Amino acid sequence: MEVKTHIAIVSVPVYSHLRSILEFCKRLVHLHHDIHVTCINPTFGSPCNNTKALFDSLPLTLNQMFLPPVNMEDLPHDIHPAIQVQVIISRSLPLIYDALKALHASSRLAAIISDGLITQVLPFGKELNVLSYSYFPSTAMLLSLCLYSSMLDKRISCEYRDIVEPIEIPGCIPIHGTDLPDPLQDRSGAAYKQFLEGNERFYLADGILVNNFFEMEEGTIRALQQEEEKGIPSVYAIGPFVQEESCKEGSNDIKYLRWLDKQQCNSVLYVSFGSGGTLSQEQIEELAWGLELSGQKFLWVLRPPNKFGIIADIGARHEDPFEFLPDGRLRGCFMSIPRNLLCHCGWNSTLEAVVHGIPLIAWPLFAEQKMNAVLLTDDLKVALRPKVNENGIVEREEITGIIRNLMVGEEGKEIRQRMKNLKDVADDALKDDGSSTVTLTQLALKWKSLS
């Protein structure tokens, strides 16, 4: 009888993170049929339709365990989504530990792999005497910042945003303090303290799996790997993992695809800010006019404005987005479709653009997206980034100019060629003898040896 290697995955209830870690799971069991995966999912409330679709798309070889929903009734209704997630994680930890302990008792676990947002799970592996890994659904650049954040905290005394010179992060392109992730913009805040504490727990990991391929961030990954003797966990570049979506006949998406089929290659700009990103009312109007004035064809995934700049997976208002556009002929100039991708520099969207060879306009909103924009524009040079005014708004003239530059300008041609080259390298990384596939196979063999 075949002995299967059992791996436990611990997710977090954030749509973008779920997409990434579940695609990793699918890739793992596709390459290694003798590995059995159980995904432990903390829950709260009812999942949104997009989340339901994610789980419905999983192969039967992936076992799902949904934990009882945690009680959130004591929290304010207008709490920031990031705080909401942290509360869910904290209150789910006892349930996660009990689930892992039961799985290990019934079917000896070879490894536990938890999302990078829930580093509190890493000590559970030590308690159960099981290898414990962190799945990092973002860049090696952000990982380097996380691993060296305590060092920066001791070296720099002022707010990062007030530093004039770019900040040096080991193995990375220098970055301005204003482009560091949201928790680092206020060092006196609770989010900053939680950021440091979470990063310290990364050092408990037996390894960190990064959703990228070696060739895209070679300098950063090499720098981290060279520091393993100094206590840095082993870093494994095993991506890119992206979700391949298809349209069903009769769905609203079909008519947009038919329209796209009639357009010339590279003639349409797709505007989207990911699974939950939103803009202010003022910025929506500027973007709308900038798109029209550019004279280029476009598809825009438009959502109502939100004070946090992000719509949580639940509780989002279902409003008509056309209500938030300027009056006039603009209403007939674009189509709105319920899909993700491009522009906001979320890592899932960025990798989808790379895998499909699509050049970018980098318009970061929150979290680590400004860091991603720096990587794309200043390091890889496969994107253009619009300038914001003193009020944090990208004005219509700036939008018009950067769209034309990307789509019909000489700089856009160069960016398109560099992105095509990056796409080819990404394709190679996922081949049987590619860097990511070889790295994942080496890990899988290690886990199988423990069964």
Side-chain angles (χ1 to χ4, degrees):
M1 182 177 178
E2 181 185 28
V3 177
K4 284 204 170 187
T5 300
H6 196 182
I7 306 293
I9 304 290
V10 182
S11 72
V12 292
V14 178
Y15 179 75
S16 58
H17 285 244
L18 270 173
R19 281 184 61 186
S20 185
I21 202 166
L22 292 179
E23 288 300 322
F24 155 68
C25 292
K26 288 160 67 173
R27 175 72 172 168
L28 177 62
V29 298
H30 172 74
L31 292 175
H32 302 278
H33 302 292
D34 52 348
I35 288 183
H36 176 66
V37 171
T38 298
C39 188
I40 300 171
N41 303 292
T43 63
F44 69 108
S46 301
C48 67
N49 290 335
N50 285 346
T51 300
K52 289 179 182 177
L54 280 182
F55 289 115
D56 290 343
S57 69
L58 296 178
L60 297 177
T61 50
L62 282 177
N63 186 40
Q64 299 294 318
M65 180 183 295
F66 295 95
L67 301 178
V70 296
N71 187 357
M72 307 287 285
E73 293 180 358
D74 58 318
L75 299 181
H77 292 298
D78 61 346
I79 189 172
H80 193 288
I83 298 175
Q84 185 184 58
V85 170
Q86 288 301 321
V87 172
I88 296 166
I89 287 173
S90 176
R91 296 181 181 182
S92 297
L93 289 173
L95 299 171
I96 293 171
Y97 180 78
D98 289 345
L100 289 171
K101 188 175 180 181
L103 282 176
H104 192 47
S106 62
S107 176
R108 186 169 177 265
L109 293 173
I112 299 168
I113 305 172
S114 54
D115 185 278
L117 276 183
I118 191 168
T119 55
Q120 297 94 324
V121 170
L122 291 171
F124 296 167
K126 304 303 178 186
E127 292 182 38
L128 298 172
N129 196 28
V130 177
L131 291 176
S132 193
Y133 296 82
S134 182
Y135 177 80
F136 201 77
S138 190
T139 64
M141 183 180 184
L142 177 61
L143 176 60
S144 183
L145 172 66
C146 291
L147 293 173
Y148 289 100
S149 58
S150 293
M151 178 192 72
L152 290 175
D153 181 63
K154 295 172 183 175
R155 195 180 77 196
I156 299 173
S157 58
C158 65
E159 290 286 357
Y160 293 111
R161 62 177 179 266
D162 295 331
I163 300 174
V164 177
E165 297 297 322
I167 297 171
E168 298 283 345
I169 302 171
C172 304
I173 186 171
I175 184 171
H176 289 285
T178 52
D179 282 329
L180 293 177
D182 292 348
L184 279 74
Q185 297 305 317
D186 179 10
R187 298 179 69 179
S188 64
Y192 181 69
K193 180 181 178 182
Q194 292 174 352
F195 183 78
L196 293 179
E197 290 174 349
N199 293 339
E200 283 300 304
R201 288 191 289 268
F202 278 123
Y203 285 87
L204 298 174
D206 292 292
I208 301 176
L209 318 182
V210 180
N211 185 17
N212 204 1
F213 52 102
F214 178 80
E215 295 81 1
M216 188 166 172
E217 293 188 275
E218 181 174 350
T220 305
I221 295 171
R222 283 193 186 278
L224 291 172
Q225 291 174 339
Q226 290 170 359
E227 295 294 308
E228 289 181 14
E229 294 182 359
K230 298 181 181 179
I232 295 288
S234 299
V235 175
Y236 304 94
I238 56 172
F241 302 119
V242 300
Q243 184 181 22
E244 295 294 339
E245 299 182 72
S246 60
C247 293
K248 296 180 180 178
E249 190 65 40
S251 72
N252 289 332
D253 291 355
I254 291 295
K255 63 180 179 181
Y256 302 116
L257 293 177
R258 287 174 178 165
W259 177 80
L260 281 170
D261 285 342
K262 298 176 183 178
Q263 312 307 315
Q264 292 183 356
C265 184
N266 300 322
S267 67
V268 178
L269 179 67
Y270 183 47
V271 182
S272 173
F273 295 93
S275 54
T278 65
L279 303 175
S280 67
Q281 176 64 48
E282 180 181 2
Q283 186 62 85
I284 286 175
E285 293 180 5
E286 288 299 307
L287 177 54
W289 286 115
L291 286 166
E292 179 173 284
L293 292 170
S294 74
Q296 305 300 311
K297 297 176 183 177
F298 60 92
L299 293 174
W300 183 4
V301 180
L302 176 62
R303 294 187 180 89
N306 180 280
K307 68 178 181 179
F308 295 128
I310 180 174
I311 296 175
D313 284 349
I314 64 169
R317 297 175 297 171
H318 298 285
E319 299 174 272
D320 181 3
F322 288 91
E323 295 179 5
F324 303 95
L325 291 172
D327 290 332
R329 61 196 174 109
L330 187 68
R331 290 175 180 265
C333 293
F334 75 98
M335 302 178 182
S336 177
I337 57 178
R339 295 181 66 181
N340 303 326
L341 283 183
L342 292 190
C343 291
H344 68 309
C345 297
W347 197 235
N348 285 336
S349 299
T350 298
L351 288 181
E352 286 169 353
V354 169
V355 166
H356 293 94
I358 302 172
L360 293 166
I361 293 175
W363 190 316
L365 298 179
F366 50 81
E368 87 287 9
Q369 292 168 9
K370 291 181 181 178
M371 284 191 74
N372 296 347
V374 172
L375 174 67
L376 294 167
T377 57
D378 298 351
D379 191 357
L380 298 170
K381 301 185 187 304
V382 292
L384 296 175
R385 184 177 178 181
K387 295 183 177 67
V388 300
N389 65 16
E390 63 276 8
N391 297 318
I393 297 294
V394 183
E395 298 176 343
R396 63 189 69 177
E397 295 82 7
E398 174 71 11
I399 296 167
T400 297
I402 209 162
I403 290 173
R404 289 175 176 168
N405 192 2
L406 181 72
M407 298 189 69
V408 296
E410 289 302 315
E411 189 173 10
K413 292 180 181 178
E414 296 173 0
I415 287 175
R416 185 167 285 103
Q417 183 58 51
R418 283 193 288 269
M419 185 61 99
K420 180 183 181 301
N421 295 339
L422 193 60
K423 173 193 183 302
D424 292 341
V425 179
D427 290 341
D428 290 342
L430 293 177
K431 292 179 179 177
D432 290 345
D433 58 349
S435 60
S436 293
T437 303
V438 169
T439 300
L440 184 55
T441 296
Q442 290 172 345
L443 270 172
L445 291 175
K446 180 177 182 178
W447 298 331
K448 291 177 189 180
S449 70
L450 301 174
S451 300

